[in-house]
Amino acid sequence: MTPILETRGLSLSYPGFDLQDIDLRVDAGSIMGLIGPSGAGKTSIMRLVMGQVMAARGELSVAGLTHPGDLKEIRGRVGYVPEDPPFSPDKRVADIIRFVAPFYPQWESARFNDLLGDFGIEPHLQVKHLSRGRRTLLSWAMALSHGATLLLLDEPAAGLDAARRRQVLKLMAEFVADGDCAAVISTHQTDGLAPLADRLAIIDHGRLVLSGETEELLAAWKWLRYRDGAVSDELESALLGHERGAFGNRGLVRDYPAIHNQLQAALAAGDVQVGNATIDDILVSLTGGH
């Protein structure tokens, strides 16, 4: 099956920053969490997909359409919610839509107006009178109203309260539910991401440092809490986020199933305990929390 989004060896250079050899695949019906610290390269990947910048090398395709030859068609297939929507502050919502809609052959005016109503946005209002959260919601309404196949969501809950956040995440889940579309959530905040994202990709300093199915990663990454001498020196040296304390030690293991058998005796004696890791635990251990 043709992936909705695929990149191979995608690279980009800015003064002082390099995005290097990014390989991603997002299949239909799925949601990918693209996570990493601020400045890691997440927004650069979004901008590359949208054709706002061009890759130095590598391949990029959306639903079988390839950069740069099919860029116009790709933009029509992508619903983009940027972190800071670049709306002109003096324009009214209705004026923005009159300008934008003709660029999308599948623009759905009724869908857009329904979303504006659901979000409590009046078409006659100027952008400068919209809060940051309302500007984000306006971007959501536009992204969901032109027959997109892929949603690109860059910090998509910026400025939203908890109720609105739940509302837009529900819309995203509905968007991919038919199995024909996909979404990518770019964020440095991982709360609530585990039940949403089928796959995770962690970016740091312009490089992909980890990717995989969310369930598989959370099953493999575990906290070990242990007494002195309960694990081998080799295993202890491989632990990430290692902390030694007066009442015990702990560290993250990347592949718990691979070491489970060698810990059986220590587990039975209570000298080692195993706990679940969160996405945030994994992110901080790989990126240093910067």
Side-chain angles (χ1 to χ4, degrees):
M1 180 181 293
T2 301
I4 298 297
L5 173 65
E6 186 172 28
T7 72
R8 295 181 180 177
L10 196 64
S11 302
L12 172 71
S13 293
Y14 291 132
F17 177 78
D18 291 312
L19 189 73
Q20 294 289 334
D21 299 321
I22 303 298
D23 295 338
L24 300 174
R25 179 184 173 111
V26 187
D27 290 321
S30 69
I31 298 170
M32 171 176 279
L34 181 64
I35 60 177
S38 296
K42 305 183 301 297
T43 296
S44 293
I45 293 172
M46 300 269 184
R47 296 184 68 203
L48 281 163
V49 176
M50 292 301 297
Q52 295 174 352
V53 293
M54 292 297 164
R57 64 180 182 276
E59 301 175 3
L60 190 161
S61 64
V62 175
L65 302 169
T66 59
H67 272 257
D70 299 323
L71 183 55
K72 181 178 179 180
E73 292 83 354
I74 286 173
R75 286 173 172 163
R77 300 289 291 274
V78 177
Y80 183 33
V81 179
E83 181 178 7
D84 188 13
F87 300 127
S88 177
D90 293 323
K91 293 293 185 182
R92 296 185 307 145
V93 172
D95 296 332
I96 293 172
I97 299 312
R98 274 195 291 269
F99 175 76
V100 169
F103 289 94
Y104 296 104
Q106 299 185 61
W107 180 263
E108 303 172 53
S109 294
R111 168 70 164 157
F112 178 76
N113 290 328
D114 285 345
L115 287 168
L116 285 190
D118 292 343
F119 294 153
I121 300 174
E122 297 291 339
H124 68 274
L125 289 177
Q126 292 177 295
V127 169
K128 64 185 176 184
H129 296 307
L130 300 178
S131 66
R132 184 184 185 191
R134 286 285 194 273
R135 294 195 300 273
T136 296
L137 291 170
L138 177 56
S139 286
W140 271 96
M142 294 170 64
L144 292 167
S145 298
H146 63 80
T149 302
L150 172 67
L151 282 183
L152 290 183
L153 310 170
D154 194 357
E155 301 293 350
L160 302 184
D161 60 29
R164 289 299 188 190
R165 183 175 185 273
R166 282 194 292 267
Q167 182 182 18
V168 295
L169 293 180
K170 181 175 182 290
L171 288 169
M172 180 193 63
E174 292 171 350
F175 177 82
V176 303
D178 64 2
D180 295 325
C181 303
V184 177
I185 306 176
S186 168
T187 184
H188 65 280
Q189 297 180 336
T190 64
D191 289 347
L193 189 60
L196 289 172
D198 305 286
R199 291 186 62 83
L200 296 174
I202 297 180
I203 306 291
D204 188 36
H205 288 101
R207 286 162 175 77
L208 184 64
V209 296
L210 183 71
S211 67
E213 300 288 336
T214 304
E215 288 187 3
E216 293 179 1
L217 291 175
L218 292 177
W221 285 71
K222 298 291 183 183
W223 281 108
L224 295 187
R225 292 172 174 81
Y226 59 95
R227 295 191 176 101
D228 284 337
V231 303
S232 67
D233 291 343
E234 181 182 7
L235 173 55
E236 187 173 51
S237 66
L239 296 176
L240 298 177
H242 183 262
E243 300 174 357
R244 186 177 297 279
F247 300 101
N249 315 294
R250 75 169 192 163
L252 273 172
V253 60
R254 299 179 61 136
D255 189 0
Y256 176 71
I259 65 166
H260 174 74
N261 287 339
Q262 68 178 274
L263 294 176
Q264 284 300 300
L267 288 165
D271 293 330
V272 173
Q273 295 179 340
V274 179
N276 292 329
T278 66
I279 295 174
D280 201 49
D281 291 330
I282 299 172
L283 174 63
V284 170
S285 73
L286 290 174
T287 65
H290 54 82

